Amino acid sequence: MLKYLFTLLFVFTLCRADLLFPEKGQELNYIHVLFDWDQEPNAILYNLQISNLESFNNIILDVHEETTLYIVKDTIEWESTYYWRVRPIYNNGNIGQWSEESYFTTGEPKTSGQDVDIYSNDLIQDGVIVYGWATGAIDRFGNEIWNTEYFLMNQINNYGQLYGQMGVEQGGELTHGGELNFYNQFLWMSPEGTEVDRHEIIQLPNGNYMAFTYVYQLGPVPLGDWTQNYQSLGYTADGVTDEFQWRGCKIIEWDQETREEVWSWDPFDHFSMDDHDLYGGTWWNATNSWSYDWMHSNGLHFDEDESVIYVSHRNLSRISKISYPSGEVIWNLGLPAEYNTGDENICTDLLFSFQHHIQMLDDGDLLFFDNGNLSHMLLGDPNPISRIRRIRVIDDSYCETVWQYDLPQNLYGKGMGSVQLLENGNYLINTMGQNEAGEGLGPSILEVTPEGDIVWKATVVGESVRWYRAYKIPSIHPNAFSVLFDQYYDMDVDGNSFTGVVLDDTNTTLSFTIHNQSSYSQSYTYTLSDNNGWFNVSSDTVNIEDNEHFIVTLEPMVEPDSVTSLTMDIWPIHHEYALKSINYNVYRVAGSLSSIETNNPTEYTLLHNYPNPFNPITTLRYDLPEVALVNITIYDTMGRQVKTLVNDSQTVGYNSIQWNATNTTGQPVSAGIYFYTIEARKFRQTKKMVLLK
């Protein structure tokens, strides 16, 4: 009987965790590296080591982690080879064997670098900046940390999903729209034979994809300074004769599964060809082309609550609100009638032109990049100016300006541009930084406070680089999560060794914890079943905030001294490629394991905090061999008390407490060196930690 023969083996040397990611021999296109490994029976902690030598004679990272996943951000370099291994630490203080070593390499950086100016480090939003035309990512110091080829990024959503234009295969021409992950895996691609515009690809709440494609219709060549040029090419060019190909931007929705077209919006059915640009040079540009770029639509935003689409049409200096799915145009935001882009536009006093990147914020405001190609004419200023516009449309009829930022003259951007409202209230702005003559600072990304102060700026090094859009995101690993089962042990029964989850009379429920380590708020779906019907089939979806965890408990219907085989699949619903499949035996034994688990600390110990350096949360671990009044206090380098984390009587055991880099009043503290001290009876010890921002 299991209940008479059950014992725990706290050091079972034959069972070693498998190293899952990076895969052995893999070449990485990033240097912020996610390490993932299997849960080890009996382990309460894991020791991860990384070396640039196969012999591990030179350890470049040595950390402890409570979960089975760790992201390294400041150690890995490009064009290098690294070796890594993991070993478990048990709650009696014993240390297990190292896993079999694995190794990986890193590829080449793709850019020549950026000039970065940091004006106020404390005011910068944490995160990394992802940019595209040539798509990559940099940290706040301008170091390239990720790159990809054959992909033009134009959007990243709140879950860390990447959308843009891509080639059919590596090295292919960028003709398809779709979704890519940060590991260069194509997750979805538009159907063959569809000419997808590069400016915007989005995914709708129903899972379908939406983008611009091209549609054509013959129209006249309007009268203007260009008339003679068109006549010399053989056109009548009288402003009436339909003889020249006009190109519009059609909006198409594709089914996520079948990739079939399920909805579309044709501009020729809703807009008049009488409305077109006369002053921005678009008709001059068309003399070198076989079609006239009538709209140059470059921004899509889908609002699920109101079921509308906001669309930016650059060459019409127009923003449209379109009802979905009827396609009815609710309003057009644009220029006064005398500029020939519509005589029923609303909010004509805004005087924006050739704008980019329309988006609706959570509070209903519209935010976009006003390139200002016509600003010299609209504003009476001899120098064109680009502006960031945050406006509120009232009653679908008039507008209020909520916030506006005028870019410096040397950052005027005649083409491209984007803006993102950050969590800390700052704005991340991307500008081409050049006028018609190619003069200006050049492609630049800057972070600006609501008061208009620049706190961070990066400028391209190299004339060939262009940035279409830029986003600041928490991490390039939005798929990062781990799952830990409670009561996961090695066992010895009748001289035979077993591994599995053990349920007893005290702990009758199956319990596991999902750790969201992605730095994004994510939802996770799990499905769980077993071959003996203890749990029937259990399935659920849970939402977990960034860097938080969720505990799942399930009550089995089973008598003691039984065993079943459990299978669970779990994945982030926005990153299905990150699915984890877990297979464990589950044992139900009579009695209680508490009488066996007598391994307690034998001495006071203060362990090093982890991670270290950290931002903004770190964990302090300490061991108590006896009941004691415990005080744990944080100090700065001047010896001033910052915060008391613990001041209470605690029982025997292995303990931990987190510090979130705040002081006694709950305010964030500055980056730098801090000390933490534990006092328990006659024991006193101090260690150092580093806070990065």
Side-chain angles (χ1 to χ4, degrees):
M1 298 289 289
L2 289 174
K3 61 183 178 182
Y4 298 122
L5 301 174
F6 178 82
T7 58
L8 289 180
L9 302 177
F10 282 100
V11 185
F12 185 60
T13 58
L14 296 180
C15 183
R16 297 189 296 186
D18 288 334
L19 306 184
L20 304 177
F21 195 84
E23 296 179 4
K24 194 168 188 177
Q26 183 177 3
E27 180 177 295
L28 308 183
N29 61 308
Y30 49 89
I31 58 173
H32 281 193
V33 180
L34 180 153
F35 294 88
D36 191 8
W37 58 90
D38 278 335
Q39 182 177 359
E40 177 84 359
N42 311 330
I44 63 164
L45 200 63
Y46 297 90
N47 181 196
L48 166 67
Q49 285 189 348
I50 304 173
S51 174
N52 53 13
L53 296 176
E54 188 174 7
S55 63
F56 281 84
N57 287 335
N58 184 38
I59 305 298
I60 61 174
L61 187 72
D62 188 351
V63 296
H64 292 82
E65 170 61 37
E66 286 184 318
T67 72
T68 57
L69 185 145
Y70 190 84
I71 298 175
V72 176
K73 297 181 178 180
D74 302 311
T75 304
I76 308 302
E77 297 180 352
W78 292 107
E79 300 180 276
S80 303
T81 299
Y82 295 94
Y83 303 86
W84 66 291
R85 60 187 182 182
V86 174
R87 61 181 174 181
I89 300 174
Y90 306 113
N91 74 353
N92 63 351
N94 289 339
I95 299 175
Q97 287 189 349
W98 288 111
S99 64
E100 181 180 349
E101 295 87 356
S102 187
Y103 74 95
F104 62 92
T105 61
T106 54
E108 300 178 358
K110 302 298 182 184
T111 63
S112 54
Q114 291 74 221
D115 288 332
V116 170
D117 296 305
I118 298 177
Y119 302 102
S120 183
N121 195 61
D122 290 344
L123 296 180
I124 299 173
Q125 171 73 50
D126 292 332
V128 300
I129 296 96
V130 180
Y131 53 80
W133 201 280
T135 302
I138 58 174
D139 62 17
R140 71 169 58 194
F141 305 107
N143 302 310
E144 183 178 340
I145 63 165
W146 171 81
N147 59 55
T148 183
E149 293 183 288
Y150 327 119
F151 183 76
L152 190 161
M153 182 277 299
N154 55 44
Q155 196 210 99
I156 304 177
N157 67 13
N158 292 334
Y159 305 108
Q161 293 173 277
L162 285 163
Y163 304 94
Q165 194 178 44
M166 58 184 69
V168 178
E169 57 187 17
Q170 291 191 340
E173 183 181 355
L174 299 179
T175 57
H176 287 64
E179 182 182 356
L180 183 85
N181 65 17
F182 284 96
Y183 310 125
N184 277 348
Q185 298 170 321
F186 291 165
L187 305 179
W188 189 89
M189 188 177 292
S190 59
E192 294 288 340
T194 304
E195 189 179 11
V196 176
D197 181 84
R198 66 184 56 187
H199 286 94
E200 188 85 273
I201 294 95
I202 64 175
Q203 190 170 14
L204 305 182
N206 64 7
N208 292 346
Y209 291 79
M210 182 176 284
F212 297 116
T213 63
Y214 299 132
V215 60
Y216 301 89
Q217 183 171 310
L218 286 179
V221 177
L223 298 177
D225 295 341
W226 50 81
T227 298
Q228 186 174 349
N229 292 64
Y230 282 90
Q231 289 173 345
S232 67
L233 293 172
Y235 295 99
T236 305
D238 58 3
V240 178
T241 305
D242 291 337
E243 57 180 344
F244 197 77
Q245 196 83 266
W246 287 40
R247 187 180 76 183
C249 290
K250 183 179 181 180
I251 306 173
I252 289 186
E253 176 187 351
W254 293 283
D255 182 90
Q256 179 184 19
E257 301 297 332
T258 66
R259 300 197 302 167
E260 295 178 349
E261 180 180 323
V262 295
W263 182 87
S264 66
W265 183 88
D266 190 327
F268 289 106
D269 295 335
H270 298 275
F271 286 175
S272 169
M273 295 171 75
D274 292 336
D275 301 340
H276 53 263
D277 170 55
L278 291 179
Y279 304 104
T282 56
W283 277 105
W284 281 108
N285 295 337
T287 60
N288 299 317
S289 178
W290 62 275
S291 66
Y292 170 58
D293 188 5
W294 177 33
M295 302 172 66
H296 202 96
S297 302
N298 58 21
L300 276 173
H301 182 96
F302 185 87
D303 176 24
E304 182 180 18
D305 292 337
E306 199 174 354
S307 193
V308 296
I309 306 169
Y310 293 94
V311 192
S312 167
H313 312 290
R314 170 176 165 84
N315 286 0
L316 289 172
S317 297
R318 172 185 291 179
I319 296 169
S320 300
K321 180 179 181 180
I322 299 172
S323 178
Y324 173 90
S326 72
E328 173 193 358
V329 178
I330 299 172
W331 48 246
N332 288 316
L333 203 71
L335 296 177
E338 59 264 30
Y339 294 100
N340 202 68
T341 57
D343 55 9
E344 295 183 356
N345 293 336
I346 67 169
C347 305
T348 56
D349 58 318
L350 293 176
L351 298 178
F352 61 85
S353 57
F354 281 65
Q355 71 291 332
H356 275 80
H357 199 195
I358 183 67
Q359 58 207 278
M360 192 183 78
L361 305 179
D362 291 340
D363 63 1
D365 292 348
L366 291 178
L367 181 68
F368 60 95
F369 186 101
D370 175 8
N371 291 78
N373 292 40
L374 303 181
S375 59
H376 60 288
M377 178 173 60
L378 298 172
L379 305 178
D381 189 330
N383 297 311
I385 186 170
S386 297
R387 299 177 290 179
I388 304 304
R389 315 298 294 270
R390 179 174 177 177
I391 65 167
R392 183 169 299 148
V393 181
I394 312 293
D395 296 331
D396 288 334
S397 58
Y398 65 97
C399 295
E400 293 179 353
T401 294
V402 178
W403 189 79
Q404 179 176 313
Y405 177 75
D406 295 358
L407 273 74
Q409 183 58 43
N410 64 351
L411 289 176
Y412 162 73
K414 65 176 181 178
M416 300 184 282
S418 66
V419 56
Q420 177 193 11
L421 177 62
L422 303 176
E423 287 187 8
N424 65 356
N426 291 349
Y427 296 83
L428 189 77
I429 302 169
N430 166 54
T431 175
M432 190 172 179
Q434 290 177 329
N435 59 22
E436 293 293 340
E439 299 169 341
L441 190 60
S444 300
I445 303 171
L446 51 152
E447 185 171 334
V448 176
T449 67
E451 293 74 31
D453 298 321
I454 299 176
V455 297
W456 181 91
K457 183 173 67 176
T459 304
V460 163
V461 175
E463 297 180 357
S464 62
V465 177
R466 292 184 292 175
W467 288 333
Y468 171 60
R469 283 191 185 165
Y471 292 88
K472 178 164 281 191
I473 62 173
S475 167
I476 61 169
H477 298 290
N479 58 301
F481 79 103
S482 59
V483 180
L484 295 178
F485 275 77
D486 293 347
Q487 306 284 108
Y488 182 49
Y489 296 128
D490 279 332
M491 298 178 295
D492 187 31
V493 179
D494 241 355
N496 297 313
S497 297
F498 298 90
T499 301
V501 177
V502 182
L503 310 181
D504 62 6
D505 291 349
T506 302
N507 301 283
T508 61
T509 59
L510 179 79
S511 178
F512 60 90
T513 304
I514 308 168
H515 294 267
N516 175 7
Q517 295 165 267
S518 71
S519 297
Y520 301 78
S521 176
Q522 300 281 12
S523 294
Y524 300 86
T525 294
Y526 66 87
T527 61
L528 180 147
S529 62
D530 71 283
N531 63 348
N532 286 327
W534 290 15
F535 306 97
N536 296 316
V537 176
S538 180
S539 179
D540 198 6
T541 298
V542 297
N543 185 74
I544 308 176
E545 295 299 316
D546 57 288
N547 298 305
E548 296 291 340
H549 63 271
F550 186 88
I551 300 174
V552 179
T553 57
L554 301 171
E555 186 78 39
M557 301 297 293
V558 63
E559 296 295 325
D561 302 326
S562 303
V563 62
T564 192
S565 178
L566 177 78
T567 299
M568 185 176 78
D569 288 339
I570 181 169
W571 63 94
I573 64 173
H574 299 287
H575 301 277
E576 294 184 3
Y577 59 89
L579 179 144
K580 294 180 185 290
S581 292
I582 298 171
N583 296 279
Y584 287 153
N585 284 337
V586 180
Y587 300 87
R588 176 61 170 94
V589 300
S592 175
L593 301 186
S594 60
S595 61
I596 303 173
E597 296 178 310
T598 58
N599 297 277
N600 289 318
T602 58
E603 61 182 11
Y604 288 100
T605 306
L606 179 64
L607 286 76
H608 289 289
N609 66 300
Y610 59 92
N612 190 30
F614 66 98
N615 179 21
I617 297 175
T618 189
T619 300
L620 317 180
R621 295 188 59 84
Y622 55 99
D623 303 339
L624 302 176
E626 56 187 339
V627 176
L629 177 63
V630 179
N631 181 278
I632 299 179
T633 305
I634 309 293
Y635 298 92
D636 63 18
T637 54
M638 302 297 292
R640 294 172 297 201
Q641 181 174 320
V642 175
K643 190 170 189 176
T644 297
L645 297 182
V646 177
N647 188 23
D648 199 4
S649 178
Q650 296 190 337
T651 59
V652 177
Y654 304 90
N655 301 277
S656 66
I657 186 73
Q658 286 189 329
W659 183 43
N660 62 356
T662 61
N663 60 22
T664 302
T665 63
Q667 298 300 310
V669 299
S670 301
I673 296 174
Y674 292 87
F675 298 91
Y676 57 101
T677 297
I678 183 172
E679 294 181 82
R681 297 201 177 193
K682 296 182 180 181
F683 176 73
R684 178 184 173 91
Q685 192 170 4
T686 299
K687 291 188 181 293
K688 181 173 68 174
M689 55 186 167
V690 180
L691 170 62
L692 299 177
K693 286 192 176 181

